[in-house]
Amino acid sequence: MSAQLSQNLLLTVPLAPLAGAVLAGFFGKAIGRTGAHVVTILGVLISFVISAMVMQDVLAGARFNATIYEWMNVGGLKMEIGFLVDGLTAMMMCVVTFVSLMVHVYTIGYMHEDPGYQRFFSYISLFTFSMLMLVMSNNFVQLFFGWEAVGLVSYLLIGFWYKKPTAIFANLKAFLVNRVGDFGFVLGIGLVFAYVGSMDYAATFQALPALKDQTISLLPGVQWPLLAVTGILLFVGAMGKSAQFPLHVWLPDSMEGPTPISALIHAATMVTAGIFMVARMSPLFELSDIALSFIIVVGSITALFMGFLGIIQNDIKRVVAYSTLSQLGYMTVALGASAYSVAVFHLMTHAFFKALLFLGAGSVIMGMHHDQDIRNMGGLRKYMPITWITSLVGSLALIGTPFLSGFYSKDSIIEAVKASHIPGSGFAYFAVIAGVFVTAFYSFRMYFLVFHGEERFGKAHDHHDDHHEDEEDAHHHGLAPGQKPHESPLVVTLPLILLAIPSLVIGAIAIEPMLFGEFFKNVIFVGEHHHAMAELHEEFHGAKAMGMHAIYSLPFWLALAGVVVSWFFYMKRPDIPAAIQSKCKAVYKLLENKYFLDDIYFATFAKGSRGLGYMLWKVGDVLLIDGLVVNGLAKLVGAFARLVRFLQSGYVYHYAVAMIVGLALFMLLFGKGLLG
């Protein structure tokens, strides 16, 4: 091994953001607004620099897997804090810290008027710490800690404007939906411990082959493959965190939080946790085609059907949010096809251009005085040139334009699914191919309506986004008549420029070492019976050749068709989409109501649980416990006391009568026996 990793240096990576969070959170008033952003940015910067150094050492062959601290040992269960640093961890560390750093800098400009300025910086720095603890863990206990920590901080951030009713509802929704996923996740971890006897990754992976044919009885007389059940339960956790159908419903509502946190959640932290976890657990999932088939079907449904919802969105942030859902579906499909490295590769490229798109959307919102409705925009390119160019780069990367980063990862997913023989891969291939056109259409619908065409701002509009009317800030929404948009300050545009660079080049640089090199050697495992990655390797002849060949491929022409159709519909003939909407009211209503999943959940789980609670309250608590047990016993004692009080009158003749009656009853009942 040509390089060694220092334990103390690795500890600094998560602890530096934590220190910034503590200082900004507990001492925010003392250090002021400037002090809060200085300490948190410095903490994340230190973390990023060390992560880059660690990446360099990992590329040189260094690895680290050790327990840092053992804080509990109960019945053979060791609760440890430990780090596992390899190619996968190092990549995630760099992505998380770099995107977080850009978000921190951006926040200075975006949140400069918010009264919760120090609190926000504390939260996003704490978010970074939580994600780093998750990705650096070498055991399930620490993984679960980071897993729950990112969920907790997301609750705080989505509901950051805590006086805004929609934000309160959104963070509660995110919290509850994730608890459903986390319940499955903890059951999966429990099965691992029950059959392996260890929470350590290395020990678990070593023991898994012996459990390949092990079964478990979930229902009397029915045997299920143990690893299939374990894999599916673990993936249920990923369905919650990474917003997969049907546990995706919380993610669009997370837009109620400030834009910087939308970028952080969607690009580098919470939603990527599930993808990372499945990739880390590749030795387990490779032993169960049932689990892989479940994953690929769920991912394909998410990729296609969430993309459809993006077509009708008018809130600029929600368009980008639904694109995140769709792209997470692509990553999940790659996981199901046993192309774990491709999924992680897309996670990395997606992090840069998705953060770019969200922060670009935030810059547009600032320029529009907090109006988020794309129908009220148009022609912004001449007023906001940096935001325009960087948003164009992000959009082109998102749709998979040849030679841009998104192209290499997205095209690799499509080819991997095509080569896969996992049950469900046929439907998955259709979903990801159709998703190419859908993604291009809604992405450039947003782009054209925002940056090109007629200037629709500074006018009276009938349509306002209901989601933002109650926002805590005091700004009016939209430009007043005569007002013009303005380019954002340097603290906002600089992160856009820095994120645009990897969005352009990182795919071409990283594709060969990450997919076909030794970057993930002994980290990600693919069984010999899964040939998708091997077939991809045979067809790969370099990044340049892949980009050149793309012009002859179906995804390229579908993406181009999506761009052309969106340009024609919204720049030349806006009457056509209006006519389609009027003719297809049922379909539009279905999409507008998000397939009625929210209504179904409210009608069943929400109202059902409330009804159950009401029944337990009225019947269980009021009638049985209070009425029968507590109050009933009290009434019984009271009645007995009243009887006794009546007998104990204090008059001698009453006692004499009682004695005579008692003696008579005694003789009547027992006299015969006594006499004879």
Side-chain angles (χ1 to χ4, degrees), residues 27-51:
F27 307 100
K29 289 185 178 179
I31 64 178
R33 295 164 73 89
T34 302
H37 73 237
V38 167
V39 295
T40 51
I41 290 174
L42 183 62
V44 178
L45 178 62
I46 292 170
S47 188
F48 170 65
V49 171
I50 296 174
S51 296

Side-chain angles (χ1 to χ4, degrees), residues 12-14 16-17 40-41 43-53 55 89-105 128-129 131-132 135-136 264 268-269 351-352 499:
T12 308
V13 175
T40 51
I41 290 174
V44 178
L45 178 62
I46 292 170
S47 188
F48 170 65
V49 171
I50 296 174
S51 296
M53 294 165 57
M55 172 63 84
T89 305
M91 183 276 294
M92 290 297 297
M93 288 164 61
C94 289
V95 169
V96 171
T97 53
F98 178 73
V99 173
S100 179
L101 180 61
M102 296 298 101
V103 169
H104 275 71
V105 174
T128 307
F129 158 76
M131 190 64 187
L132 287 168
V135 301
M136 295 176 71
L264 198 54
T269 52
F352 297 120
L499 284 166

Side-chain angles (χ1 to χ4, degrees), residues 143-328:
L143 173 70
F144 190 71
F145 164 77
W147 196 267
E148 293 303 308
V150 293
L152 171 63
V153 185
S154 72
Y155 174 85
L156 298 174
L157 284 163
I158 294 169
F160 180 77
W161 288 315
Y162 54 86
K163 294 181 182 178
K164 181 181 174 187
T166 50
I168 298 168
F169 178 78
N171 71 351
L172 181 61
K173 188 177 180 180
F175 189 80
L176 292 176
V177 172
N178 272 277
R179 296 293 69 74
V180 176
D182 293 353
F183 182 66
F185 188 56
V186 78
L187 288 177
I189 294 174
L191 281 177
V192 170
F193 179 70
Y195 284 87
V196 175
S198 174
M199 289 291 193
D200 184 75
Y201 291 164
T204 300
F205 297 157
Q206 190 175 1
L208 285 174
L211 300 175
K212 185 178 180 181
D213 299 321
Q214 181 79 37
T215 58
I216 183 173
S217 179
L218 300 178
L219 297 171
V222 181
Q223 297 293 319
W224 293 77
L226 172 66
L227 295 184
V229 174
T230 305
I232 290 171
L233 286 172
L234 290 173
F235 180 68
V236 168
M239 287 168 65
K241 279 288 181 289
S242 294
Q244 296 298 293
F245 177 89
L247 300 182
H248 67 280
V249 293
W250 68 270
L251 192 61
D253 287 355
S254 69
M255 298 301 98
E256 297 300 328
T259 299
I261 191 53
S262 300
L264 198 54
I265 287 178
H266 286 243
T269 52
M270 187 168 170
V271 298
T272 62
I275 308 300
F276 165 81
M277 183 273 293
V278 176
R280 174 62 77 194
M281 299 295 130
S282 61
L284 188 155
F285 287 96
E286 278 302 283
L287 296 174
S288 174
D289 280 5
I290 297 173
L292 290 176
S293 184
F294 180 78
I295 293 171
I296 203 169
V297 170
V298 169
S300 54
I301 293 171
T302 308
L304 182 60
F305 290 94
M306 297 305 109
F308 288 147
L309 296 180
I311 296 173
I312 66 154
Q313 301 300 316
N314 295 310
D315 183 312
I316 188 171
K317 286 172 64 177
R318 287 179 180 261
V319 177
V320 187
Y322 278 106
S323 84
T324 300
L325 278 172
S326 182
Q327 296 308 303
L328 287 168

Side-chain angles (χ1 to χ4, degrees), residues 327-363:
Q327 296 308 303
L328 287 168
Y330 273 82
M331 299 174 206
T332 304
V333 165
L335 294 171
S338 282
Y340 307 97
S341 56
V342 178
V344 173
F345 181 42
H346 192 53
L347 183 158
M348 180 189 71
T349 61
H350 174 265
F352 297 120
F353 62 73
K354 185 51 54 73
L356 174 58
L357 285 170
F358 264 115
L359 298 186
S363 180

